[in-house]
Amino acid sequence: MPPKSKKSSTLALLAKTPTGITGLDEITGGGLPAGRPSLICGDAGCGKTLLSLEFIIRGAMEFGEPGVFVAFEEKAEELAINVASLGFDLPKMQKDKLIRIDHVQIDRNEIEETGEYDLSGLFIRLDHAINAIGAKRVVLDTIENLFSGLNNQGILRAELRRLFGWLKGKGVTAIITGERGDGGLTRQGLEEYVSDCVILLDHRVTNQISTRLLRIVKYRGSLHGTNEYPFLIDEEGISVLPVTSLLLESEVSSQRVSSGIPALDKMLGGKGFFRGSSILVSGTAGTGKTSVAAFFANESCLRKEKCIYFAFEESPQQIIRNMKSIGGDLKTHIDNGLLEMHASRPTLYGLEMHLVAIHKKIKKFKPKTVILDPITNLVTVGSVSEVKSMLIRLIDFLQAEQITVLFTALSLNTNVSEQTDEGVSSLVDAWLQVRDIESNGERNRGLYIMKSRGMKHSNQVREFVITDEGLDLVDVYLGTDGVLIGSAREAQQLTEATGQALRTHAVGQKDIEIQRKRKVLEAKIASLHEEFDSMQDLLNKSYIEEELRKEIMEKNREQMIKNRLSKNADHGKSK
């Protein structure tokens, strides 16, 4: 889309007629110029007739504007058959007076080059057709047939100008289709100059891969996209991809989403990836990239969020079967309408067409998560730079829509520092590297977080384990001989467990011996306490006896004094 300017309020005064064709209205800023003729040109088979016919049909069905389609080549019955596969019922629409299709047969033998040739008969017929249904849209397909037998350039140019002037005078929005010429956009070389809007369609075949492209050559009085835009013709009609390069102004989210692997979330600060971010999982063949992607999709569906899985290597049935063996149930999510899986070989389309197809499916399904597995297969239909350009546009589109995307990429070597991911690693927000670690005659998997923008993350390698219960990351053992993984780690852990058991047993024996000695010492202490108590009792007994003796002696002395005093008193009385 072209960037908005300060003049947009003024340019908006130019009336436009929406085409209803997906993406085309965005590129043109609202549609074709209302009440003016537009030219659609291109080589045979590029989609001119279908685009113009869809313009008429969608105008009648979606915008309440009846249309007239004048065909100089195909009959109404042939056109009806051609668009029936797209779900358009032309006979019914003609019966309802929504559209009118006229087939005009041009007989070259009746064309005279004496200066008497003119289009008055066509104007009368066209005027009647427009008035019969109150048409707002008109298509003439194709203009070459109208002048096929006329060689007088003066008459031809005059009649062309007259035709375009007449259409403007009727105030209808018109499309005129034309074959591409050798030295210009059209065979006559004049149509592009008298048209207010010119759209060029192209159908290219490169390396046996076809791509359809659309370009707006000119648009009087309006800003418009000037790049080449890929478009797709499928069972729903024409879809144009309006995205070539977006401004880096998309909103970002601080919300985190789980990867589906708790141990990986822990490595990512315990919370997972940012919502709306782009994630790359790269690694050599057989390292489990698809498993990581499938578990991420599974986790998204468990959150009741929609997910689209684009597979370029395996069929959906293969992925579902393989993930079921490790505890991932994708079939249930497909049945619940939360997961869509689309599988195709990259050679089905060109790169641009893949982008259009992906864009269309995302717009229709409105997922929160998108998986592309693997992007390296796209190199078979384009160069690395072309794949990178395509993925840049896809990432920009998904970020603008706040959709989290996960790519997988095949590394063709085991050197982590080498970039073998089609140049995407510098574009993504998070990059996980899964690689083989061979030691002791074993092949094990290790996972690294190469980068994760905007969050604290682990910088250590973890052993990546795939089991019947799912995926897990375990701490590697760092010993005196280096990093131990696989059976070496398990053997070391067993040795440590055995040593721990022996140490526990030894400690237990020591505890028993200490307990025994404690009991002996406690017995000795108790004996000493008894001996001390006995001696203390003996001393206390002697002390008590002494005190008792003293008390008795004191009482005896007092008694003797009393007795003596008593005898002295009796002796006095006797005298």
Side-chain angles (χ1 to χ4, degrees):
M1 287 293 292
K4 294 181 180 179
S5 68
K6 296 180 180 179
K7 297 181 180 180
S8 60
S9 59
T10 304
L11 296 176
L13 296 177
L14 177 65
K16 295 187 178 183
T17 298
T19 65
I21 298 173
T22 304
L24 183 56
D25 291 336
E26 297 179 45
I27 297 171
T28 55
L32 302 180
R36 301 184 183 186
S38 298
L39 173 67
I40 296 179
C41 52
D43 295 325
C46 62
K48 303 184 297 297
T49 300
L50 180 59
L51 190 147
S52 57
L53 189 56
E54 190 170 345
F55 167 74
I56 292 291
I57 293 172
R58 296 199 181 279
M61 294 176 60
E62 299 177 13
F63 304 103
E65 296 185 355
V68 173
F69 190 96
V70 180
F72 300 110
E73 289 182 345
E74 298 177 278
K75 297 181 179 180
E77 296 79 10
E78 295 173 336
L79 291 173
I81 294 173
N82 293 343
V83 298
S85 61
L86 306 179
F88 300 138
D89 189 351
L90 287 188
K92 184 177 185 302
M93 296 182 70
Q94 291 183 81
K95 185 178 179 181
D96 295 339
K97 294 186 177 182
L98 294 176
I99 65 173
R100 184 182 179 109
I101 298 178
D102 275 358
H103 174 67
V104 178
Q105 181 69 37
I106 303 296
D107 189 352
R108 297 185 182 183
N109 296 326
E110 297 179 1
I111 298 176
E112 298 179 1
E113 300 183 25
T114 60
E116 298 177 0
Y117 177 86
D118 63 50
L119 299 176
S120 298
L122 175 65
F123 294 160
I124 294 173
R125 187 168 179 174
L126 194 54
D127 186 65
H128 173 72
I130 292 173
N131 295 333
I133 63 171
K136 301 294 183 181
R137 305 184 181 205
V138 171
V139 168
L140 302 180
D141 180 48
T142 63
I143 198 169
E144 279 75 26
N145 288 2
L146 195 59
F147 302 103
S148 60
L150 187 62
N151 296 322
N152 189 317
Q153 292 296 315
I155 297 177
L156 188 148
R157 290 175 178 268
E159 291 301 303
L160 270 176
R161 291 184 182 277
R162 186 182 173 199
L163 172 62
F164 278 74
W166 187 88
L167 290 171
K168 281 187 177 181
K170 288 296 292 183
V172 293
T173 304
I175 286 181
I176 298 171
T177 67
E179 296 289 342
R180 192 167 184 177
D182 295 332
L185 296 178
T186 57
R187 292 182 181 178
Q188 312 303 336
L190 181 65
E191 297 94 328
E192 60 261 38
Y193 296 104
V194 295
S195 301
D196 287 85
C197 176
V198 179
I199 298 176
L200 176 62
L201 304 183
D202 195 7
H203 189 192
R204 299 176 190 168
V205 179
T206 305
N207 295 328
Q208 294 81 48
I209 303 297
S210 68
T211 302
R212 300 179 188 271
L213 297 169
L214 178 149
R215 179 167 68 92
I216 300 176
V217 179
K218 79 170 186 180
Y219 199 136
R220 289 174 181 162
S222 174
L223 287 175
H224 58 87
T226 57
N227 297 315
E228 286 188 318
Y229 301 90
F231 69 93
L232 180 68
I233 298 177
D234 60 12
E235 67 279 0
E236 296 179 355
I238 291 178
S239 299
V240 185
L241 178 63
V243 179
T244 52
S245 60
L246 299 175
L247 299 176
L248 297 176
E249 297 176 349
S250 57
E251 297 291 332
V252 296
S253 173
S254 298
Q255 184 182 355
R256 305 281 279 271
V257 292
S258 173
S259 65
I261 308 173
L264 180 56
D265 291 343
K266 187 176 180 182
M267 293 180 69
L268 295 165
K271 299 177 181 179
F273 302 107
F274 283 121
R275 181 179 293 281
S277 63
S278 51
I279 305 148
L280 173 65
V281 181
S282 62
T284 53
T287 50
K289 304 180 296 297
T290 298
S291 299
V292 174
F295 268 72
F296 188 56
N298 179 70
E299 185 67 22
S300 177
C301 295
L302 290 176
R303 293 193 299 269
K304 304 301 180 183
E305 297 176 353
K306 292 183 178 180
C307 175
I308 289 186
Y309 195 118
F310 295 99
F312 301 117
E313 202 168 57
E314 299 177 89
S315 69
Q317 290 76 19
Q318 283 179 294
I319 297 174
I320 292 170
R321 180 200 63 190
N322 297 342
M323 291 307 105
K324 188 175 182 180
S325 67
I326 59 174
D329 186 6
L330 300 182
K331 183 66 166 57
T332 299
H333 302 313
I334 294 176
D335 295 339
N336 293 336
L338 292 172
L339 177 64
E340 276 193 2
M341 300 188 75
H342 300 279
S344 63
R345 289 294 182 189
T347 49
L348 178 65
Y349 303 124
L351 284 177
E352 299 292 349
M353 300 298 281
H354 274 296
L355 188 58
V356 176
I358 291 171
H359 181 274
K360 183 176 181 180
K361 288 181 173 65
I362 290 173
K363 278 290 189 181
K364 184 177 181 181
F365 190 60
K366 302 186 185 308
K368 288 292 185 181
T369 305
V370 171
I371 310 291
L372 270 75
D373 175 38
I375 58 174
T376 32
N377 283 29
L378 296 173
V379 176
T380 58
V381 291
S383 64
V384 171
S385 61
E386 290 172 337
V387 173
K388 182 176 181 179
S389 175
M390 171 218 174
L391 294 175
I392 287 173
R393 283 179 280 166
L394 180 59
I395 290 174
D396 288 343
F397 163 66
L398 294 174
Q399 286 183 339
E401 298 289 330
Q402 281 292 290
I403 297 173
T404 310
V405 58
L406 186 146
F407 306 100
T408 69
L410 174 66
S411 299
L412 302 179
N413 55 52
T414 57
N415 190 347
V416 178
S417 63
E418 291 190 22
Q419 195 164 308
T420 57
D421 45 58
E422 318 321 316
V424 175
S425 59
S426 61
L427 304 173
V428 297
D429 299 303
W431 180 16
L432 308 181
Q433 177 84 17
V434 188
R435 60 174 303 196
D436 293 325
I437 303 177
E438 296 186 7
S439 62
N440 299 322
E442 285 186 346
R443 178 176 174 270
N444 296 287
R445 303 176 179 89
L447 185 142
Y448 311 73
I449 298 180
M450 305 299 289
K451 75 171 184 179
S452 188
R453 292 172 180 162
M455 68 177 71
K456 182 180 179 181
H457 60 87
S458 173
N459 63 350
Q460 296 180 345
V461 61
R462 294 287 189 274
E463 185 177 352
F464 181 40
V465 181
I466 301 178
T467 67
D468 294 342
E469 288 75 29
L471 309 180
D472 195 12
L473 300 174
V474 297
D475 292 336
V476 297
Y477 181 83
L478 186 60
T480 55
D481 297 330
V483 175
L484 300 179
I485 59 175
S487 60
R489 171 180 53 79
E490 293 176 357
Q492 182 63 33
Q493 290 175 340
L494 182 60
T495 301
E496 290 185 353
T498 303
Q500 181 64 33
L502 292 174
R503 285 193 296 272
T504 302
H505 178 72
V507 170
Q509 290 298 110
K510 289 181 180 179
D511 288 342
I512 293 172
E513 186 65 24
I514 290 172
Q515 190 68 23
R516 188 181 295 114
K517 289 184 177 181
R518 178 182 289 112
K519 289 181 179 180
V520 172
L521 288 174
E522 288 176 351
K524 289 183 178 180
I525 291 172
S527 177
L528 290 173
H529 272 296
E530 290 179 359
E531 185 178 350
F532 176 77
D533 291 340
S534 178
M535 185 175 295
Q536 188 177 31
D537 290 342
L538 183 60
L539 291 174
N540 286 339
K541 181 180 178 182
S542 300
Y543 176 76
I544 294 172
E545 288 179 349
E546 183 64 28
E547 287 295 320
L548 183 58
R549 186 181 296 111
K550 285 182 180 181
E551 184 180 351
I552 292 173
M553 289 178 66
E554 182 64 27
K555 289 182 178 181
N556 290 339
R557 188 177 65 80
E558 290 177 357
Q559 187 65 37
M560 289 177 65
I561 291 173
K562 288 181 180 180
N563 292 339
R564 186 179 295 125
L565 290 175
S566 175
K567 287 179 180 183
N568 289 335
D570 293 339
H571 180 70
K573 290 180 180 180
S574 63
K575 289 180 175 182

